[in-house]
Amino acid sequence: MEFTERYSRQILFHPVGPEGQQRLAAARVAIVGCGATGSALSSLLARAGVGYLRIIDRDYVEPSNLQRQVLFDEADAAESLPKAIAAARKIRGFNSAIVVEPHAADLVPDNAADLLGNVQLVLDGTDNFETRYLINDYAVSEKLPWIYAAGVGSYAVTMTVLPGETACLACIFPDSPKGIVETCDTSGILNSAVNLVASIAATEAMKLIVGAPDKIRRTLLSWDVWSNQHAEVSAAHPRVDCRTCQQHDFVHLAGEGRPPISLCGRNSVQIHERQRPIDFTEITRRLAPHGQVKHTEFILKFWHEPYEITLFPDGRAIIKGTTDTAIARSLYARYVGS
């Protein structure tokens, strides 16, 4: 399909035009997280013609994802495909002219430079502040623009971070939210809220790529699609005492290992403290006497009631059936090894 024909309606939009479309084709973007927000972002930017997308996600597709995660289908859920792999397959089906690089991995300090390096923009499709602070640390340290985006219930929030110009995430949220924090597991999520925030973030990304800095929104924008309430807080300038962008104290980037994390929307804990290659054939043989086990080239699943262990080739695991990290660690040590 000819380039100008494929993107003709976007090229007709004057602020993009032929030159902007060429800039999109030459752009390199990383998307961290490919759940609800991330899959919508990936779809929008791939269809817009962003030439290179690096998709990073630690999770796999489940039936409960299909209500809001637009790149996946029932076959992906039945196969428990890693989301990054499933997303890349879907994108190649509707835009084979772009490069999609999937990484079924958890973004941690040790791999941040590899996974976020050599791109011009990072987009947030994650579900936790710990990872967002890590993105913020890396982006500020490298003067790399990134776009924060989140949604829960009917509420969506987003902010574009231009290191050295605007506030960073730590300027607005110096510390992680304390106390009870709403998640999609406790408050649910409307797919319309997800698509709203992804549409806004994707448009901000396009503005940055085509070279329209004067059109960038320099606020923290929140919008509740159910109550119709919305608000903006200025993010035009860094906070003078910000530990990250003013003092260059990158505590999250310097972290050595991270605690297991409960996953949004799931009664689960992720174990990612040990990285070592896993031989799925060998571990299937060992686990078979203890419960049901099956594997593909991407993932191994082991059921030992009331728990389900999903193991990835790098040794990372998701333990479903508990939010108790001690239980999760014990199960990992018993069945995978310590």
Side-chain angles (χ1 to χ4, degrees):
M1 185 182 297
E2 188 180 353
F3 182 84
T4 53
E5 172 61 22
R6 174 187 280 270
Y7 303 113
S8 60
R9 303 307 187 270
Q10 194 162 274
I11 291 170
L12 284 170
F13 180 64
H14 180 71
V16 175
E19 183 180 349
Q21 193 61 53
Q22 291 293 341
R23 290 187 179 188
L24 288 166
R28 297 176 62 87
V29 174
I31 299 173
V32 184
C34 196
T37 306
S39 61
L41 284 169
S42 299
S43 177
L44 288 166
L45 294 182
R47 292 179 188 278
V50 171
Y52 172 94
L53 290 176
R54 184 181 300 154
I55 300 175
I56 304 150
D57 191 278
R58 65 191 184 187
D59 207 355
Y60 58 91
V61 184
E62 293 191 294
S64 64
N65 301 151
L66 303 182
Q67 166 258 351
R68 65 197 178 280
Q69 300 186 14
V70 296
L71 279 180
F72 310 132
D73 59 31
E74 292 177 354
D76 298 326
E79 199 177 339
S80 296
L81 268 183
K83 291 179 181 179
I85 303 298
R89 288 182 178 180
K90 291 297 189 301
I91 291 170
R92 288 167 186 148
F94 64 74
N95 194 345
S96 60
I98 69 171
V99 176
V100 184
E101 182 184 297
H103 290 269
D106 189 25
L107 182 71
V108 295
D110 286 345
N111 63 21
D114 289 334
L115 293 179
L116 301 182
N118 197 26
V119 297
Q120 67 193 79
L121 175 65
V122 177
L123 277 79
D124 167 28
T126 69
D127 61 6
N128 67 91
F129 263 88
E130 184 174 23
T131 305
R132 292 182 179 119
Y133 282 127
L134 175 58
I135 295 170
N136 189 65
D137 272 13
Y138 180 83
V140 171
S141 72
E142 297 294 322
K143 297 181 172 57
L144 178 67
W146 77 282
I147 301 174
Y148 160 60
V152 65
S154 56
Y155 176 81
V157 59
T158 182
M159 180 177 74
T160 301
V161 177
L162 305 176
E165 295 183 42
T166 69
C168 76
L169 186 69
C171 291
I172 305 297
F173 304 108
D175 298 295
S176 295
K178 298 294 191 293
I180 297 174
V181 178
E182 285 189 313
T183 69
C184 53
D185 193 21
T186 59
S187 300
I189 180 79
L190 290 181
N191 56 21
S192 53
V194 167
N195 281 277
L196 172 65
V197 77
S199 294
I200 295 170
T203 307
E204 291 289 288
M206 291 179 67
K207 294 174 190 177
L208 283 166
I209 292 167
V210 304
D214 58 315
K215 299 299 183 184
I216 296 296
R217 191 194 68 259
R218 296 173 185 244
T219 64
L220 175 75
L221 170 68
S222 62
W223 200 292
D224 189 314
V225 297
W226 198 261
S227 70
N228 301 310
Q229 293 179 330
H230 55 277
E232 290 186 80
V233 175
S234 177
H237 304 289
R239 201 182 74 241
V240 293
D241 61 343
C242 176
R243 70 164 186 270
T244 302
C245 66
Q246 298 302 297
Q247 299 173 10
H248 298 114
D249 183 10
F250 303 121
V251 295
H252 299 278
L253 189 59
E256 297 181 3
R258 300 188 303 168
I261 300 173
S262 295
L263 301 178
C264 179
R266 305 253 292 283
N267 179 30
S268 305
V269 172
Q270 178 182 220
I271 299 291
H272 57 160
E273 298 159 307
R274 305 169 182 85
Q275 287 203 350
R276 73 281 183 80
I278 298 292
D279 184 330
F280 281 171
T281 301
E282 170 59 22
I283 203 164
T284 295
R285 182 189 64 77
R286 287 201 290 112
L287 291 177
H290 305 286
Q292 182 186 356
V293 58
K294 68 176 184 178
H295 72 85
T296 67
E297 63 179 303
F298 304 114
I299 204 168
L300 180 145
K301 295 183 80 70
F302 169 62
W303 291 268
H304 184 81
E305 290 297 333
Y307 306 108
E308 174 186 302
I309 298 177
T310 301
L311 192 61
F312 296 86
D314 62 357
R316 186 169 55 88
I318 294 173
I319 316 295
K320 188 174 183 180
T322 184
T323 56
D324 187 320
T325 58
I327 292 174
R329 279 198 177 103
S330 174
L331 290 166
Y332 187 96
R334 184 186 312 167
Y335 294 114
V336 182
S338 58

